[in-house]
Amino acid sequence: MSHKLEDRMEELLGEDPRDAIAREGSEFDRQAGGRSGLILFGSGILGRRTLAGLQKGGIPVLAFCDNDARRWRTKVDGLEVLSPADAVHLHGQQAVFVVTIWPDAGGHPLEQITRQLSALGPATVVSVAFLYWKYPRLFLPYFCLNLPHRTLAQAAEVRACLSLWADARSREEFVAQLGWRLRMDFQNLSPRVTYKPYLPDEMFALSLGEVIVDCGAFDGDTLRDFLQERGEGFGHYHALEPDGQNFGKILSFLEAQPGGIRAKVSPRCLAVGSHAGEVCFDASGTAQSAMAESGVCVVPCARIDDLFPGSEPSYIKMDIEGAEEDALRGASQTIQSASPVLAICVYHRFDHLWKLPLLIRSFSDDYRFFLRPHADPFWDLVCYAVPKVRCIG
């Protein structure tokens, strides 16, 4: 293992938690440089979420700013949307522009927007993450964004997890993800992999008898990718999706498939967890439908260990909006007895990056672990746990 990588991790984890707490509360104001007005650059999902939180906290916002000309001089959630030129002209001297867009395949919005606005006039630009640090009660946790001192409190587990990763690429991404969580450092994050999520060609090979359990099957997106890749070359595919609207889309897709495919795919409107019964669910018909105490729907929930008697899964995928830890506990017997390949999302909670690999390792020492990003900067980050006998190379 690279000493440089270990040194970087120790540098990140070595911060005094008291210093981290002070930094959390002051970093936004430091970067804002005394400017008090807020302009939210980006009026999409993240911008609207940020506006709602600020309004809840009684914190005024001057306007949205957006590169989408169709939104200029309109209102989003009651707030005016300005063009970049108008926003800088009207507010550049006194406002701070908060970038409410995450990095994506097109580049780094914070850097791009800073250059764009600075070319129009005086502009101070800050990442939304620092605003969330300043007002954690309004905004956090949000997926894997949380306060740095909370990561430092789990330093022992973080250190233990580093040794689990089977290749240099995984270890480098792991430390880079720590840098993002602790310092909002985007620079060292790896580019997304080129293959489709859950269908890697570098770690293991899919078999003709593969029995797949797709937890969080959404509208059948992974199923469609799998069929495009494999055709009928698999054993069986169990598509588990608790959101009724999404589940209906899976059924509609299957109705248009050949009989040979339909016979090999079993859709079930079902959540998975550590206990059988019913759970409250926030069914929005989107990719972010999730279990929630405030959910108005009640859906059946089962343990993977109880679902497939006599036909143990050989490949389990989980993208279930933060419920992965609970679902893994409900699959512990299957993991121990059948050693299925596991493709587990580790970006819905800040500590899933290390907690979930360590949890799998506590069930079985038969696995090698790989970490791969399928989007930027942390979206669709997947831990692949591959039985040693199935590893390529």
Side-chain angles (χ1 to χ4, degrees):
M1 189 182 300
S2 165
H3 290 300
K4 183 177 180 181
L5 201 63
E6 289 182 323
D7 289 346
R8 172 58 176 159
M9 189 176 78
E10 289 308 316
E11 176 188 348
L12 290 167
L13 295 178
E15 183 180 19
D16 189 314
R18 292 169 296 186
D19 293 338
I21 291 171
R23 180 166 57 85
E24 295 159 5
S26 64
E27 185 63 19
F28 179 83
D29 291 336
R30 186 188 72 79
Q31 294 195 26
R35 290 169 174 79
S36 57
L38 297 178
I39 303 284
L40 303 183
F41 196 111
S43 57
I45 294 174
L46 183 58
R48 295 177 64 190
R49 181 184 192 273
T50 303
L51 174 63
L54 291 168
Q55 290 176 332
K56 182 178 179 181
I59 301 163
V61 181
L62 296 173
F64 277 121
C65 179
D66 206 293
N67 279 326
D68 186 348
R70 295 170 298 180
R71 298 190 178 190
W72 298 349
R73 299 181 180 86
T74 68
K75 290 187 176 182
V76 172
D77 294 345
L79 189 67
E80 183 181 13
V81 182
L82 301 176
S83 70
D86 286 346
V88 171
H89 174 71
L90 293 170
H91 304 292
Q93 295 284 356
Q94 74 275 12
V96 54
F97 289 80
V98 180
V99 178
T100 48
I101 306 170
W102 291 120
D104 57 27
H108 195 318
L110 183 64
E111 295 176 353
Q112 294 171 358
I113 292 166
T114 299
R115 289 194 298 267
Q116 176 188 359
L117 296 180
S118 296
L120 297 170
T124 298
V125 185
V126 180
S127 168
V128 69
F130 299 118
L131 183 71
Y132 279 28
W133 284 2
K134 181 178 179 179
Y135 300 111
R137 292 184 180 180
L138 298 177
F139 296 116
L140 296 178
Y142 182 62
F143 288 90
C144 61
L145 179 59
N146 211 319
L147 293 170
H149 79 269
R150 299 193 184 280
T151 292
L152 295 176
Q154 299 186 35
E157 291 178 87
V158 173
R159 291 186 176 97
C161 188
L162 180 63
S163 64
L164 290 184
W165 303 112
D167 63 349
R169 187 174 181 181
S170 298
R171 291 188 290 271
E172 289 166 2
E173 179 65 17
F174 181 73
V175 175
Q177 287 287 334
L178 287 178
W180 185 87
R181 283 159 173 74
L182 290 167
R183 295 284 176 173
M184 284 298 113
D185 178 4
F186 293 96
Q187 302 303 320
N188 295 312
L189 294 171
S190 303
R192 64 180 70 184
V193 295
T194 55
Y195 49 79
K196 292 179 179 178
Y198 318 115
L199 293 172
D201 55 8
E202 57 171 325
M203 306 162 201
F204 63 95
L206 292 166
S207 73
L208 291 175
E210 205 80 60
V211 178
I212 305 96
V213 177
D214 182 353
C215 305
F218 182 38
D219 62 358
D221 55 345
T222 302
L223 174 60
R224 291 192 295 273
D225 287 345
F226 187 84
L227 294 178
Q228 185 178 19
E229 182 88 6
R230 301 292 296 178
E232 295 189 26
F234 62 98
H236 206 85
Y237 195 108
H238 300 275
L240 311 183
E241 172 55 47
D243 185 302
Q245 295 181 62
N246 291 336
F247 185 71
K249 296 173 185 177
I250 297 174
L251 296 180
S252 296
F253 169 73
L254 287 174
E255 287 176 1
Q257 300 307 304
I261 294 292
R262 293 198 305 273
K264 288 188 171 186
V265 179
S266 297
R268 300 181 69 173
C269 193
L270 184 72
V272 288
S274 61
H275 298 88
E278 293 181 330
V279 293
C280 294
F281 197 82
D282 180 9
S284 62
T286 70
Q288 294 184 14
S289 297
M291 294 184 195
E293 292 182 2
S294 60
V296 297
C297 297
V298 176
V299 300
C301 182
R303 302 192 320 151
I304 288 176
D305 286 340
D306 299 331
L307 284 176
F308 310 106
S311 178
E312 291 184 312
S314 62
Y315 185 8
I316 299 174
K317 164 248 173 177
M318 291 184 185
D319 184 359
I320 48 178
E321 304 305 309
E324 288 83 2
E325 180 177 358
D326 203 42
L328 281 170
R329 294 187 185 281
S332 61
Q333 296 171 19
T334 300
I335 292 170
Q336 291 166 0
S337 63
S339 296
V341 171
L342 302 171
I344 312 298
C345 285
V346 291
Y347 67 94
H348 294 113
R349 300 285 185 268
F350 83 100
D351 55 0
H352 278 188
L353 177 63
W354 51 89
K355 276 196 167 184
L356 300 191
L358 289 170
L359 180 63
I360 295 167
R361 178 62 178 79
S362 74
F363 297 150
S364 172
D365 60 3
D366 187 42
Y367 285 95
R368 300 185 73 203
F369 294 85
F370 303 85
L371 186 65
R372 294 294 186 267
H374 291 284
D376 305 299
F378 60 82
W379 304 104
D380 295 346
L381 184 66
V382 177
C383 168
Y384 292 94
V386 183
K388 295 172 183 177
V389 71
R390 293 193 61 175
C391 281
I392 296 174

